[in-house]
DNA sequence: GGCATTTCGTGATGCGCCTTCACTATGTCG
DNA sequence: CGACATAGTGAAGGCGCATCACGAAATGCC
């Protein structure tokens, strides 16, 4: 079992990874006229298909009021549309425009591509060790009370990351 | 060399780690009456000792104007003080109050403790493999243009994470 | 020494994300 | 039918961040 010093350094690596990746995500999104929150909404919409704002609010774990604002912005920038719900006249259905669908598909593609490039020439054993280590880490985090406090299925949050 | 499918899953693990950790950091900080940005400033102050706002702005990579606001808040909540710079009458020196120093020291301690708990019973070889994998990942990220666009010495961003 | 230039901090203003409270319109259940 | 729950939005507000404009002090140059 490693020394405390090493422990802190390792955590430092993890945190650095956090910073590097999230910065890069934000930059990539901005290049497409998106912000983190809006891309996140798009992503969820992609996973679920046309959804009510309530559903999106639960999925993104933000207040319904906030969803209104995000959808407003995405409508204004032509990524999604708001349509009346066919059976519930209180609700509105949020759906992709063609543009929104295309951009989201591109984001997904970029994510796969980025993963491919990232791990492309990594030897099998090293790759397996890394994945196992990450899983272990995740398990340990949850075991020590660090968890995504409930719900939320394994959601890869934004997307995007490619250079 | 692993399959594309695995690649994406692995990236998913990384992103999940990102989300879990940053969420937890934010929660821990909030419990002490701090926000991410304010804690970040405290952290930098801890690493550098009393500093001018300009220095902090460069360190945190935000606009000087924003530092004014963060320091305002930290002064109001009793974490730091603003004093005139001894030789440059334009500048102000930001220093810890006793309370601020204590809280920051506690954060540092918690971070070490968290790292210790996290990796405590992890076998040496597994730990080594994980660290190597993380380093490799970081290197690959930088190699593919994903980088912290310049400056910024190896700064572990916030701190805190323990339950 | 004197004046231009740079630098430090801040006021004003604005955007994005997020929240809570209050309110309308609608759905649902007994 | 009436009581209650639910979907979305207006209003207001907080935090983080940015840019522009500006005064005050420091510095460089002649």
């Amino acid at each position: 079992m490693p020394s405390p010093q090493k422990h802190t350094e390792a955590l430092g690596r993890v945190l650095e990874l956090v910073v590097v990746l999230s910065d890069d995500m934000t930059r990539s999104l901005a290049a497409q006229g998106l912000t983190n929150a809006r891309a996140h909404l798009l992503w969820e919409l992609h996973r679920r298909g046309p959804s009510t704002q309530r559903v999106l609010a639960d999925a993104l774990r933000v207040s319904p009021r906030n969803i209104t604002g995000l959808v407003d912005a995405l409508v204004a920038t032509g990524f999604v549309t708001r349509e009346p719900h066919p059976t519930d006249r209180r609700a509105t259905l949020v759906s992709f425009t063609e543009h929104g669908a295309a951009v989201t598909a591109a984001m997904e593609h970029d994510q796969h591509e980025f993963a491919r490039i990232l791990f492309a020439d990594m030897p099998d054993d090293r790759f397996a060790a890394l994945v196992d280590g990450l899983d272990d880490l995740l398990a340990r985090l949850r075991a020590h009370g660090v968890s995504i406090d409930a719900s939320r299925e394994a959601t890869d949050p934004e997307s995007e990351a490619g250079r």
Side-chain angles (χ1 to χ4, degrees), chain A:
Chain A
M1 130 175 169
S3 78
Q5 169 71 2
K6 295 274 185 189
H7 292 157
T8 300
E9 282 177 21
L11 185 54
R13 300 285 202 308
V14 174
L15 295 180
E16 189 179 356
L17 195 60
V18 169
V19 173
V20 168
L21 275 183
S22 55
D23 276 16
D24 184 63
M25 272 197 297
T26 302
R27 262 195 302 273
S28 306
L29 292 174
Q32 294 186 317
L34 286 172
T35 61
N36 279 357
R38 314 224 254 255
H40 204 143
L41 194 157
L42 250 38
W43 190 250
E44 213 59 42
L45 203 56
H46 177 63
R47 294 183 359 109
R48 296 167 182 271
S51 314
T52 64
Q53 298 189 179
R54 169 55 75 173
V55 165
L56 292 172
D58 292 344
L60 301 194
R61 310 172 59 74
V62 297
S63 70
R65 185 60 186 88
N66 193 16
I67 296 294
T68 298
L70 295 176
V71 172
D72 282 351
L74 287 170
V75 167
T77 46
F79 286 89
V80 304
T81 58
R82 249 194 274 246
E83 296 158 20
H85 190 289
T87 67
D88 188 340
R89 281 188 303 170
R90 293 168 303 176
T92 61
L93 265 188
V94 182
S95 314
F96 279 119
T97 60
E98 276 193 29
H99 174 234
V103 167
T104 305
M107 293 196 321
E108 190 175 29
H109 173 267
D110 284 357
Q111 190 188 331
H112 291 322
E113 182 66 8
F114 180 63
R116 196 184 62 72
I117 291 176
L118 204 55
F119 299 116
D121 55 346
M122 189 180 272
D124 254 356
D125 55 343
R126 187 182 202 71
F127 179 78
L130 177 58
V131 172
D132 285 353
L134 288 174
D135 279 345
D136 199 356
L137 215 50
L138 251 3
R140 282 156 190 274
L141 284 169
R142 298 193 203 289
H144 290 293
V146 177
S147 69
I148 272 175
D149 45 1
S151 52
R152 182 172 208 141
E153 335 78 300
T155 298
D156 35 357
E158 249 79 87
S159 68
E160 258 305 303
R163 48 101 112 280

